[in-house]
Amino acid sequence: MDSLRREAQSDAGLEVDDLLETWRLLDIEERLEAFMDLPRDQAEDFFLELSAREEYELIHAMPAGQRRSWMRLLPPDDAADVVQESEDSEREELLGLLDDPTRREVRALLAYAEDDAGGLMNPRYARVRPDVSVDEAISYLRRQARATLESVYYIYAVEADQRLAGVVSFRDLFSAAPGKTIRDLMVTDLVTARDDTDQEELGRMFAQHDLQAIPVVDGEGHMKGIVTVDDIVDVIQEEATEDIQKIGGTEALAAPYLETGFTSLLSKRVLWLAVLFLGEMITASAMGRFEDELGRALVLGLFIPLIISSGGNSGSQASTLVIRAMALGEVTLGDWWRVVRREVMQGLIMGLLLGVLGFARIEIWQQLFHTYGEHSLLIATTVGLSVMGVVTFGTVSGSMLPFLLRRVGLDPASASAPFVATLVDVMGIVLYFSVASLVLRGTLL
Amino acid sequence: MDSLRREAQSDAGLEVDDLLETWRLLDIEERLEAFMDLPRDQAEDFFLELSAREEYELIHAMPAGQRRSWMRLLPPDDAADVVQESEDSEREELLGLLDDPTRREVRALLAYAEDDAGGLMNPRYARVRPDVSVDEAISYLRRQARATLESVYYIYAVEADQRLAGVVSFRDLFSAAPGKTIRDLMVTDLVTARDDTDQEELGRMFAQHDLQAIPVVDGEGHMKGIVTVDDIVDVIQEEATEDIQKIGGTEALAAPYLETGFTSLLSKRVLWLAVLFLGEMITASAMGRFEDELGRALVLGLFIPLIISSGGNSGSQASTLVIRAMALGEVTLGDWWRVVRREVMQGLIMGLLLGVLGFARIEIWQQLFHTYGEHSLLIATTVGLSVMGVVTFGTVSGSMLPFLLRRVGLDPASASAPFVATLVDVMGIVLYFSVASLVLRGTLL
């Protein structure tokens, strides 16, 4: 019997997951209809699996009379996320659906920026006074557990004035002698976040310290709530996705790729492409200055794509490495000198290797097919030296631009790519024709 | 008194963190010396904060007689990570330092691939038989807590044959009537991982279900261990870092940027740069076929960088979007047709807009500076049409290549960039000169 019941339940569980996938392909009216067709308990499990955006859209779409029980199903931090997703004009109505104490908590959460610890934290956590005994604490927590707690992994010892005094893990509380006090057990060497700590920093704190939850305190050390690691997993995924999309030359998407509307996707891509395009137009002007040289030595034109792309590739490689190291907190502004020394050497060596490759390619083709005429050695020298210069320049400027951008308060991830691309392309052309006019003077030029 | 003691402890705690930062700048001998100078309790806290690599290096560097207590300080999953970092020849020696039961657990963990759930899981978790009462379970757990548990967030109900029957959260156990059984309380609709589930998939499971821990079972449903979300935070950061570095055209680094050795960093960068460089050499051959056209209409040369970079930018934008969506599980192989329809339209519209921009730029310059001579309108048409074509081609091929690469079993993140770049650059040149020969025939060509 029992195992049959379990199997039935387990099947239902699998259905919810499968359902979620097909459900996400529907438009909002179909979504609501399918949702309302579910048995209540399954619908509740389903609802709690959704993103804040999807929860909001369902609530927004359903008849007003049915909204309350769904809003009240959510813990305060999730309810606040749903309210964040709503239009300003709907906020008060949604808040009105909550019970009074929860509404107060949600309002307090809404006062924080969405990306800060204050906006991510849950105001319900396991708290005791430092001077109660282990047995008292356990029986107190047994009474409080269902009503108030999201996470019972840590118990926070909070003084009468709401200052955070220490933390006891559940494991320690559980295994301690019954008569000891919380103060005897608690760890006071705490990792805490401020309510204005941003979520990227929070992600780093969790990754570094391997904690299940981090308490959030205000400037005076008063306990405000906790951020749990399961909420941070989403945040870390999101932050990485944003950086990847920005590095790829898109504004960060607000929703998954397939769920982003066509025009919304278009507007987030076309803007950066247009900025890059306008930047690259400078290359046409730069080339214009060398039209005479090009006319006298047409062969130079053949290698322009190679020169340009070598600079662009080395630049985007270096800037990506530095941007990610900055996002992980591995490299800070103060490290710029260490990075520049390293990148000058890396750039020179890579430039040398690619330069030799370029030189060899031209000479080998010349031997095989006599492609480049009597001055092939000089052409190969021009290309080799230019590649070396442009790779070095690309590497160094690619690694330094994220520092400059962060220094002036811009996001290195979103602005580095276009700057590096334009800078390196224009420099590449100028360098190439300058080297050519030195090497080929008196022969081709 | 008490508050003084707390403050002193808290200061010591801050020192450990500060110490960690400066300590990481030292070489290994200096590191060991500084570490050995710490008071024992502080050294232990410090040791547990380190990465597996750093823990291994310390243990490797210290006199053999001191290694045992440090290896034994580690929980089994972390001890396994340290053994993973060691040379093959040292493995048995390190394993010999552990006590017998832990060694068996660590050996079992080492049999799994490092990136699979089996390699990440902890074999110690809170387990009870399904038929014990709530009160029995609580007092049992109180006895077991310190010795065996890493995480007590969930209690796993395991049948006598080791099959996982269900899960009770600590909160539910705690707030339940004392006489109920675990079977009454347990949830049987479980999210479980297989021991060979890979870590990227685990990360998605945690992000989707907001769980604190996921149980790991073998093919017969036998409980093997748990993976906790705090271990997954590192994994998600690592996976994202790998993808970002690959998209940026580097092999994934094994250590933070500043800690990666100079030659190791160089080798991970130069290889892809060289592959890209060799690919781009094809552009020189492609251009070679149009040398005559270029000689007759030198003005065409001015826009080569613009054409090439427009294709490259739109291609890398599209491939980055698709690669990230694939990594997050938002897009699967079966979605290729939806993606291609979407990207054809996106590419056409973006191409149209950039083409108009290019056309306008040339005509405006012509009006202002008479830069492009009597056929400026035809030149502007050539550039506009080519930009439109190359942006559409770049967008579509950039979005489809990750599908192709994954289909044949390659990692889309590491291989898309060079393929897209070469493909789009060569196509861009061919397209540009083909359009030119149509539009400019009888005038410039």
Side-chain angles (χ1 to χ4, degrees), chain A residues 213-433:
Chain A
I214 291 180
V216 180
V217 297
D218 66 13
E220 282 81 47
H222 298 131
M223 181 81 182
K224 308 305 277 183
I226 60 171
V227 180
T228 52
V229 67
D230 53 315
D231 292 330
I232 282 297
V233 167
D234 305 344
V235 164
I236 290 177
Q237 290 274 35
E238 263 169 42
E239 292 278 340
T241 301
E242 274 179 27
D243 278 1
I244 288 174
Q245 288 170 345
K246 287 174 181 171
I247 289 170
T250 318
E251 269 182 81
L253 306 184
Y257 168 80
L258 283 175
E259 290 168 41
T260 304
F262 187 84
T263 48
S264 158
L265 179 62
L266 190 67
S267 69
K268 285 180 188 282
R269 303 165 74 154
V270 77
L271 190 73
W272 272 122
L273 275 195
V275 169
L276 285 163
F277 190 80
L278 292 171
E280 289 293 334
M281 283 175 170
I282 303 171
T283 58
S285 303
M287 290 265 318
R289 309 198 53 181
F290 300 105
E291 211 175 334
D292 283 353
E293 283 85 347
L294 185 60
R296 268 175 278 149
L298 267 183
V299 66
L300 287 178
L302 308 187
F303 300 102
I304 289 172
L306 185 68
I307 304 278
I308 298 249
S309 65
S310 305
N313 292 334
S314 54
S316 71
Q317 186 186 66
S319 66
T320 306
L321 283 172
V322 172
I323 289 166
R324 185 59 183 166
M326 278 184 172
L328 294 174
E330 295 167 0
V331 165
T332 57
L333 277 181
D335 292 318
W336 75 276
W337 181 238
R338 288 179 67 195
V339 173
V340 85
R341 276 185 311 181
R342 194 158 225 238
E343 292 297 315
V344 167
M345 287 310 296
Q346 296 263 330
L348 278 170
I349 297 174
M350 295 195 295
L352 189 65
L353 286 167
L354 296 190
V356 169
L357 267 183
F359 183 94
R361 153 71 163 75
I362 294 174
E363 274 306 293
I364 291 168
W365 256 238
Q366 176 64 17
Q367 299 305 322
L368 295 175
F369 317 111
H370 309 286
T371 324
Y372 304 112
E374 53 169 337
H375 300 298
S376 79
L377 209 61
L378 292 178
I379 294 165
T381 306
T382 302
V383 171
L385 286 175
S386 301
V387 167
M388 188 175 154
V390 81
V391 168
T392 308
F393 179 77
T395 302
V396 174
S397 57
S399 65
M400 286 299 105
L401 262 164
F403 285 95
L404 270 176
L405 291 166
R406 173 156 283 193
R407 185 72 192 75
V408 299
L410 294 172
D411 178 358
S414 62
S416 289
F419 282 113
V420 174
T422 310
L423 192 71
V424 176
D425 286 359
V426 173
M427 267 301 299
I429 290 165
V430 173
L431 188 76
Y432 180 44
F433 282 98

Side-chain angles (χ1 to χ4, degrees), chain A residues 20 23-24 31 46-58 74 78 81-82 85 234 238 254-256 259, chain B residues 207-208 210:
Chain A
L20 204 54
W23 186 82
R24 287 197 163 123
R31 282 183 178 197
F46 185 83
F47 188 71
L48 292 172
E49 291 269 308
L50 298 177
S51 69
R53 179 84 215 153
E54 291 165 337
E55 288 167 346
Y56 163 69
E57 285 169 354
L58 269 184
L74 298 168
D78 292 347
D81 290 343
V82 168
E85 294 287 340
D234 305 344
E238 263 169 42
E259 290 168 41
Chain B
Q208 195 186 338
D210 280 353

Side-chain angles (χ1 to χ4, degrees), chain A residues 5-272:
Chain A
R5 200 194 73 201
R6 279 207 309 284
E7 223 168 275
Q9 284 190 356
S10 173
D11 278 358
L14 286 178
E15 271 167 31
V16 169
D17 258 21
D18 287 347
L19 192 59
L20 204 54
E21 260 184 47
T22 44
W23 186 82
R24 287 197 163 123
L25 303 176
L26 305 175
D27 70 30
I28 178 64
E29 275 143 53
E30 296 167 323
R31 282 183 178 197
L32 181 65
E33 201 177 320
F35 177 71
M36 288 303 188
D37 279 349
L38 291 174
R40 179 73 189 196
D41 59 336
Q42 220 178 322
E44 288 184 0
D45 288 348
F46 185 83
F47 188 71
L48 292 172
E49 291 269 308
L50 298 177
S51 69
R53 179 84 215 153
E54 291 165 337
E55 288 167 346
Y56 163 69
E57 285 169 354
L58 269 184
I59 288 173
H60 179 79
M62 64 178 60
Q66 297 180 29
R67 287 177 189 156
R68 190 175 64 182
S69 69
W70 295 105
M71 277 301 286
R72 289 195 178 191
L73 191 65
L74 298 168
D77 51 342
D78 292 347
D81 290 343
V82 168
V83 175
Q84 295 271 23
E85 294 287 340
S86 71
E87 307 286 318
D88 283 347
S89 58
E90 295 173 299
R91 270 188 178 214
E92 284 309 311
E93 195 207 320
L94 287 176
L95 286 167
L97 298 173
L98 301 169
D99 59 75
D100 287 348
T102 306
R103 182 164 54 244
R104 274 194 297 276
E105 287 173 340
V106 171
R107 269 196 211 284
L109 293 175
L110 289 172
Y112 293 105
E114 212 179 333
D115 293 354
D116 288 350
L120 287 163
M121 74 187 178
N122 191 311
R124 296 174 182 177
Y125 51 90
R127 82 184 92 183
V128 294
R129 291 275 171 269
D131 298 305
V132 302
S133 74
V134 166
D135 257 4
E136 283 168 339
I138 290 180
S139 57
Y140 172 76
L141 291 170
R142 283 185 77 170
R143 285 198 308 276
Q144 298 294 311
R146 176 156 302 280
T148 56
L149 310 180
E150 178 176 8
S151 157
V152 288
Y153 196 83
Y154 299 115
I155 296 101
Y156 298 90
V158 177
E159 305 281 7
D161 65 357
Q162 297 303 314
R163 274 221 310 255
L164 177 60
V167 173
V168 182
S169 77
F170 225 85
R171 183 172 66 163
D172 289 347
L173 177 70
F174 235 54
S175 58
K180 284 205 167 185
T181 67
I182 296 295
R183 208 181 286 284
D184 297 327
L185 300 178
M186 70 190 186
V187 175
T188 54
D189 159 21
L190 299 175
V191 175
T192 59
R194 285 281 298 271
D195 42 15
D196 57 355
T197 302
D198 88 11
Q199 60 182 9
E200 216 172 331
E201 173 64 25
L202 271 175
R204 284 199 290 271
M205 291 171 73
F206 274 103
Q208 195 186 337
H209 297 287
D210 280 352
L211 294 167
Q212 299 282 331
I214 291 180
V216 180
V217 297
D218 66 13
E220 282 81 47
H222 298 131
M223 181 81 182
K224 308 305 277 183
I226 60 171
V227 180
T228 52
V229 67
D230 53 315
D231 292 330
I232 282 297
V233 167
D234 305 344
V235 164
I236 290 177
Q237 290 274 35
E238 263 169 42
E239 292 278 340
T241 301
E242 274 179 27
D243 278 1
I244 288 174
Q245 288 170 345
K246 287 174 181 171
I247 289 170
T250 318
E251 269 182 81
L253 306 184
Y257 168 80
L258 283 175
E259 290 168 41
T260 304
F262 187 84
T263 48
S264 158
L265 179 62
L266 190 67
S267 69
K268 285 180 188 282
R269 303 165 74 154
V270 77
L271 190 73
W272 272 122

